[in-house]
Amino acid sequence: MTELLDQFEHAVVAGDADKSAGIARAIAEGALATPDEVFEHLGSAMEKVGSKYETGEYFVPEMLRSAEAVRLAIELLEPYLFTRGRDQSGVIVMGTVKGDIHNIGKNIIVLALRAAGYDVHDLGVNVSTMKFIKAVKETSCDILMLSAFTTSTKVALLDVLTALEREGLRDRVKVVSGGASHSEEFAAEVGVDAFARDVKSALAVCRELLQR
Amino acid sequence: MTSRERVLAVLAGEKPDTVPIVPVIDGWFAPKVIGRKNDECFLDGICLADALAASLEKFGYDGAVAEMGLGPQPNVLGCPVEIEGNDVPLVVDTIVGGREDLDKVRMPDPWAGGKMEPVRRLVETGHDGDRFVIGSVRSPFEYAATVRGLIGFMTDFYADPDFVHQLIAAVKPATIAVGMALAETGVDAIVMKDSFASSSMISPDHYREFVFPYEAQAIGELKESVPVILHVCRNSMPILADMAQTGAAVLEMDSPVDLGAARPLVGAGIVLKGNIDADAVVEKGGVADIEAAVKAAMDAAKQEGGFILSTGDSVSVEAPEENVAALVRFGRQYGGYLND
């Protein structure tokens, strides 16, 4: 089993969509791995892709190739993962902030949150402040999750928070930021309620915020 | 020397009295000089032309970048664009969803809707004041990314590379048509912007496959009418030697490029333009940071000539006006050739 999941992870990192989809189909049809195992390996693949980007081995097209492999795999895995336990409830709006087009991590987290039972509205990538505000108003969401891969998107994060204040929405919604480069200090500087570095912490943070 | 003579001298391979200063000041910064919001000037090209002229006059740099009416270039190809307040314009939809939509790419009419009027206006006011005026066009690669959407476009690099070539070839006439129209307005040069082509976005191999051939073809046609400045955002260091082969007269480099190392890579005869960090230095830095950055740029690139001091990229609306003034002041202080 570990070998299969390792192959799955490797296929995602290499951007081999045919292979990752084939393994995903096998997992879904044969219940060959638990959702936790799937998310763990997707999260690990995501970290490796991010690391290759940081070191200059990968560029945006290579990241998107991996993102496509993830997309095809999660399409096949979604029905299987959704039949598992869905013990959480709450409405979450999520998107990657303006100026940032990274979507692999966001897509995996969206899937994990949906699998856990949350109603997730995925706004996509390079989302304008205006679009975030509109979605918060329309969905009356409990949590707004802002994905930002690099710290250079701090301006965009601050812009969303300022707009939430301006629109009188800041007290009505918990704001979580996330991305490979995030730290507690960065989140504190930006002024979000919590931050998540990966799938596991995103699930834990949402559970905790909604139980408060 | 007047400002215009100063820049023209550099383009002619001559040494001017002082290094020309032509920062990338466009519709993101200039409107505030006349007390307007960016979205107002986005919708009113004359407002933009007047803002650019006012900024040129107020800060006294040597040349301005004239944007077309309805500022953002994607609009030329029919992509819907939104802007709010002082935000940068955002493309909100694409035209080409995939290979099946290739025939939806239409040749734009650059003159339609008075799009060139702001450029004409800035050329008139700029030349009245003996300033150098640059028209702005997007490269075939950037237009293709815009009509397809950046994510879809770069996903296609591996999924359907032939389609990527077909799409870039299909929009290349738009770059040439807009460039030729700009030349007709009387601009002194054209800057061809390639925002997504750097090694911060794509590999040098992909640059050579998807960007360079079309850049070189477009520049080859345009430079018959007007000198071309090639701008690539972020880190273009690994592809500088390639960029030097496109036929561009000037390479405009963003702040990640090492100016001192750039000259040996591009060789003699090509003007270097750059590369004060518009974000960390001009927007967020203080006057002392500006002085240090200008001095470092002059130390790295002035002596051999063929250098225009500039910001690496667009100056933002958040940049303090005193920083722009300091950029020009220190540019003059450290840029002189006569006493060297």
Side-chain angles (χ1 to χ4, degrees):
Chain A
M1 188 52 49
T2 310
E3 196 182 331
L4 185 70
L5 285 166
D6 284 347
Q7 285 173 11
F8 180 52
E9 188 177 319
H10 185 264
V12 168
V13 174
D16 187 340
D18 288 343
K19 192 168 183 186
S20 68
I23 297 172
R25 192 178 292 112
I27 290 171
E29 286 172 1
L32 300 179
T34 66
D36 280 353
E37 287 170 331
V38 170
F39 290 132
E40 190 183 323
H41 282 268
L42 280 173
S44 171
M46 181 181 77
E47 277 184 28
K48 284 178 182 161
V49 170
S51 162
K52 283 175 182 288
Y53 177 76
E54 296 279 318
T55 57
E57 186 181 341
Y58 274 14
F59 297 84
V60 174
E62 288 74 26
M63 293 184 72
L64 291 171
R65 187 179 53 173
S66 290
E68 185 62 9
V70 170
R71 188 187 67 77
L72 287 174
I74 62 181
E75 255 180 34
L76 293 160
L77 283 164
E78 209 165 341
Y80 165 66
L81 297 173
F82 273 59
T83 61
R84 316 288 293 197
R86 301 184 57 169
D87 55 348
Q88 302 297 321
S89 66
V91 179
I92 297 172
V93 166
M94 185 167 185
T96 304
V97 299
K98 190 169 58 182
D100 193 337
I101 60 165
H102 295 98
N103 62 355
I104 307 177
K106 175 190 67 62
N107 288 351
I108 294 170
I109 287 173
V110 165
L111 176 66
L113 291 168
R114 282 181 180 155
Y118 297 106
D119 177 11
V120 184
H121 297 256
D122 181 4
L123 303 185
V125 297
N126 195 23
V127 178
S128 69
T129 296
M130 220 172 0
K131 200 169 170 185
F132 276 122
I133 297 298
K134 193 165 169 246
V136 169
K137 284 180 181 170
E138 284 175 1
T139 63
S140 299
C141 62
D142 304 292
I143 295 175
L144 174 62
M145 296 193 82
L146 304 171
S147 178
F149 186 75
T150 64
T151 49
S152 62
T153 47
K154 186 176 172 183
V155 175
L157 286 167
L158 287 170
D159 198 42
V160 175
L161 287 158
T162 306
L164 286 170
E165 291 280 0
R166 191 177 60 232
E167 299 285 330
L169 297 168
R170 185 65 186 90
D171 295 335
R172 283 171 38 191
V173 63
K174 300 289 183 193
V175 182
V176 179
S177 67
S181 60
H182 280 229
S183 65
E184 203 158 340
E185 295 74 34
F186 180 74
E189 270 179 50
V190 174
V192 293
D193 298 300
F195 83 101
R197 266 190 64 84
D198 51 25
V199 179
K200 215 178 257 183
S201 64
L203 287 165
V205 157
C206 290
R207 191 179 304 120
E208 194 199 325
L209 285 174
L210 291 173
Q211 280 170 358
R212 275 185 198 169
Chain B
M1 273 183 162
T2 66
S3 287
R4 194 163 172 231
E5 288 168 346
R6 194 171 286 138
V7 186
L8 288 170
V10 173
L11 289 179
E14 298 159 7
K15 205 171 248 189
D17 56 344
T18 182
V19 169
I21 305 166
V22 186
V24 186
I25 287 184
D26 52 27
W28 199 15
F29 173 87
K32 77 172 183 178
V33 176
I34 57 168
R36 304 285 292 271
K37 293 272 186 197
N38 292 358
D39 57 353
E40 295 175 65
C41 287
F42 164 70
L43 295 168
D44 174 5
I46 297 302
C47 162
L48 183 58
D50 290 346
L52 291 164
S55 176
L56 187 60
E57 188 60 34
K58 180 169 187 173
F59 299 106
Y61 42 87
D62 294 309
V65 183
E67 290 282 349
M68 293 161 56
L70 289 174
Q73 298 271 340
N75 201 272
V76 174
L77 287 157
C79 292
V81 178
E82 284 179 1
I83 182 171
E84 186 187 23
N86 280 329
D87 275 358
V88 288
L90 204 63
V91 179
V92 292
D93 205 0
T94 56
I95 295 170
V96 178
R99 176 180 279 279
E100 66 284 0
D101 292 333
L102 253 180
D103 60 355
K104 289 186 181 168
V105 175
R106 295 271 184 267
M107 267 295 292
D109 176 0
W111 298 96
K115 283 190 173 69
M116 286 293 159
E117 286 316 304
V119 181
R120 276 192 198 282
R121 190 173 172 105
L122 190 64
V123 167
E124 274 174 29
T125 51
H127 286 177
D128 280 350
D130 279 322
R131 306 297 174 86
F132 194 81
V133 180
I134 301 165
S136 175
V137 66
R138 301 306 189 257
S139 72
F141 185 75
E142 184 162 336
Y143 274 146
T146 304
V147 296
R148 172 75 176 95
L150 188 57
I151 293 173
F153 182 62
M154 290 198 175
T155 301
D156 294 335
F157 278 26
Y158 285 104
D160 195 352
D162 286 345
F163 169 55
V164 176
H165 280 291
Q166 288 169 17
L167 182 59
I168 303 171
V171 297
K172 189 184 75 180
T175 295
I176 294 167
V178 171
M180 294 305 284
L182 288 166
E184 277 185 54
T185 66
V187 295
D188 298 298
I190 289 172
V191 59
M192 183 185 292
K193 298 209 170 193
D194 228 333
S195 306
F196 310 126
S198 82
S199 306
S200 304
M201 295 285 278
I202 64 171
S203 68
D205 285 346
H206 275 149
Y207 172 84
R208 286 165 201 134
E209 180 179 358
F210 294 125
V211 186
F212 177 85
Y214 305 97
E215 249 177 12
Q217 289 163 21
I219 291 171
E221 292 201 30
L222 292 173
K223 74 175 186 180
E224 299 299 319
S225 303
V226 68
V228 179
I229 301 166
L230 177 59
H231 169 94
V232 170
C233 289
R234 306 312 298 157
N235 182 21
S236 57
M237 204 74 199
I239 53 170
L240 268 185
D242 300 279
M243 288 166 63
Q245 301 302 312
T246 58
V250 182
L251 300 184
E252 187 173 86
M253 295 159 301
D254 206 345
S255 53
V257 171
D258 178 345
L259 263 185
R263 175 60 70 196
L265 286 172
V266 305
I270 290 183
V271 174
L272 300 179
K273 182 173 185 286
N275 69 343
I276 308 297
D277 192 323
D279 178 47
V281 176
V282 182
E283 182 186 326
K284 300 191 177 76
V287 169
D289 300 308
I290 307 272
E291 180 173 13
V294 169
K295 189 168 182 310
M298 294 296 186
D299 287 346
K302 171 186 149 186
Q303 211 48 47
E304 294 189 54
F307 179 53
I308 299 171
L309 182 72
S310 170
T311 51
D313 209 340
S314 301
V315 176
S316 92
V317 66
E318 306 294 337
E321 292 198 8
E322 55 265 35
N323 281 3
V324 176
L327 177 74
V328 178
R329 189 168 71 248
F330 292 123
R332 297 290 185 231
Q333 184 177 327
Y334 294 110
Y337 285 109
L338 295 181
N339 298 322
D340 288 354

